[in-house]
Each structure stands twice: as structure tokens, then as C-alpha cells.
Amino acid sequence: MEPDIKIVNVVVSTKIGDNIDLEEVAMILDNAEYEPEQFPGLVCRLSVPKVALLIFRSGKINCTGAKSKEEAEIAIKKIIKELKDAGFDVIENPEIKVQNMVATADLGIEPNLDEIALMVEGTEYEPEQFPGLVYRLDDPKVVVLIFGSGKVVITGLKSEEDAKRALNKILETIKEVQEL
């Protein structure tokens, strides 16, 4: 049985123009916060889809909190439309790039973290400091947190496919270690 992988956060970036006037954008967009003395970008929170967009003067946008790349694209397109309607010169179909995805899953077994830490290269486990085992994979290049309950968090993903590959590798490794 394949463990159920749930994408919990997708971070994407894009560029919609050059030299964006954030003071003006803050007045146009609902739910926009712009406090340059605290943070150089404008923060805009949408409720549908539920994401936060960071808009910078350079025209770069980071979107975080989406559950899929498609959701992030919908959010960015909404902002582009609002800015265009307000007379801003923005790129209508910018290239949107996934920077990071975070997924969670349940292995369906309770792994022996002490054993894995001893036998598997690329792992760190210091239960006094953090309850999970940190496992750095090279292919796909991700960081996996494995907990004694069998729950895992995978970060550094670029695609859902990578999440499946990482999870299969982890399961294989755990089975090998626990059979020894």
C-alpha cells in the first residue's frame, strides 16, 4: 500500500515587471501590508486561494502557502489582473517557478530511529534537541524529517513526483535496516 502524500505548502516565484511602486500597490490591493521599515516587500494575503504574496519593488513576487503550483498560479494571476486593471504595466503571463514544496506522509510503520541513525549515512538524530530524525537525500535533493510515529515531513521538493521518489527510498531504507 502506497502512503498518502499530502502537499502542505508550495512556494513559487515569478517576476511581473520592473520598479513597482509598492506604496501605490498597497492602496490598490485589499489585504496588503507595506511597512518598509520592517520588511522591504509588500505582503498581500488572499483568502481564496489561501496564500501570502510577497511583492518587491524589483517586480519579483514570491507566493507561499499554496497547496499546489496551480493554486499559486491562480493567486498570482489575480494580483496581475488587479494591477493591470489599475493601470500598472505588468507582465501578463510571467514564468512561474516552484522554489520549494513541503509534503507530509505517514509511513504506516513505527521506524526505529536509533537504528536508522546508526546504520544510514546522511542522517542526524539527537532526540534531546529534536524528536525527529533528519535524513538528507541526494536524489531527489530533499530533507526528510522522520518521527517515531511514522509521520514524515519532506522539504526542498520541486515536484510531487520527487515526493513519491523520496518516500519510496525512505521506506526501502527502513525495511533494509529493520531486517538486519
Side-chain angles (χ1 to χ4, degrees):
M1 191 188 99
E2 280 252 321
D4 191 24
I5 298 170
K6 192 171 173 218
I7 303 292
V8 293
N9 186 13
V10 178
V11 178
V12 304
S13 65
T14 191
K15 187 167 167 63
I16 61 163
D18 296 299
N19 204 9
I20 307 263
D21 183 341
L22 297 180
E23 284 89 0
E24 210 175 311
V25 172
M27 291 188 283
I28 292 159
L29 297 179
D30 292 336
N31 309 323
E33 298 159 33
Y34 181 51
E35 294 171 33
E37 53 289 334
Q38 254 126 54
F39 182 71
L42 175 143
V43 180
C44 178
R45 295 179 204 293
L46 297 182
S47 48
V48 182
K50 193 167 168 38
V51 300
L53 295 128
L54 307 176
I55 305 171
F56 298 93
R57 247 183 226 298
S58 63
K60 287 198 166 93
I61 294 184
N62 291 335
C63 175
T64 179
K67 300 288 180 258
S68 66
K69 183 181 180 190
E70 292 69 33
E71 216 177 78
E73 285 171 348
I74 290 166
I76 290 168
K77 284 194 175 28
K78 264 187 178 181
I79 296 300
I80 288 173
K81 185 183 179 336
E82 283 186 54
L83 293 177
K84 216 165 173 53
D85 290 351
F88 278 86
D89 179 23
V90 289
I91 299 166
E92 256 180 277
N93 288 305
E95 186 191 345
I96 295 171
K97 206 170 165 209
V98 173
Q99 297 299 335
N100 184 20
M101 290 172 92
V102 179
T104 59
D106 192 333
L107 298 171
I109 53 172
E110 292 186 3
N112 181 331
L113 301 181
D114 289 308
E115 225 172 77
I116 296 166
L118 282 172
M119 313 274 295
V120 182
E121 249 183 85
T123 61
E124 289 167 43
Y125 182 47
E126 294 180 40
E128 310 77 41
Q129 286 171 12
F130 183 71
L133 176 135
V134 180
Y135 187 4
R136 295 175 200 284
L137 294 177
D138 286 332
D139 180 31
K141 196 160 177 48
V142 296
V143 175
V144 185
L145 306 176
I146 305 172
F147 297 91
S149 63
K151 300 256 190 282
V152 296
V153 177
I154 309 169
T155 183
L157 292 161
K158 295 288 188 204
S159 70
E160 234 169 303
E161 199 45 54
D162 283 352
K164 288 184 183 126
R165 284 179 42 226
L167 205 57
N168 286 333
K169 275 195 175 171
I170 294 155
L171 280 166
E172 270 173 47
T173 302
I174 291 170
K175 281 182 188 136
E176 280 170 25
V177 167
Q178 295 190 337
E179 276 170 16
L180 295 173

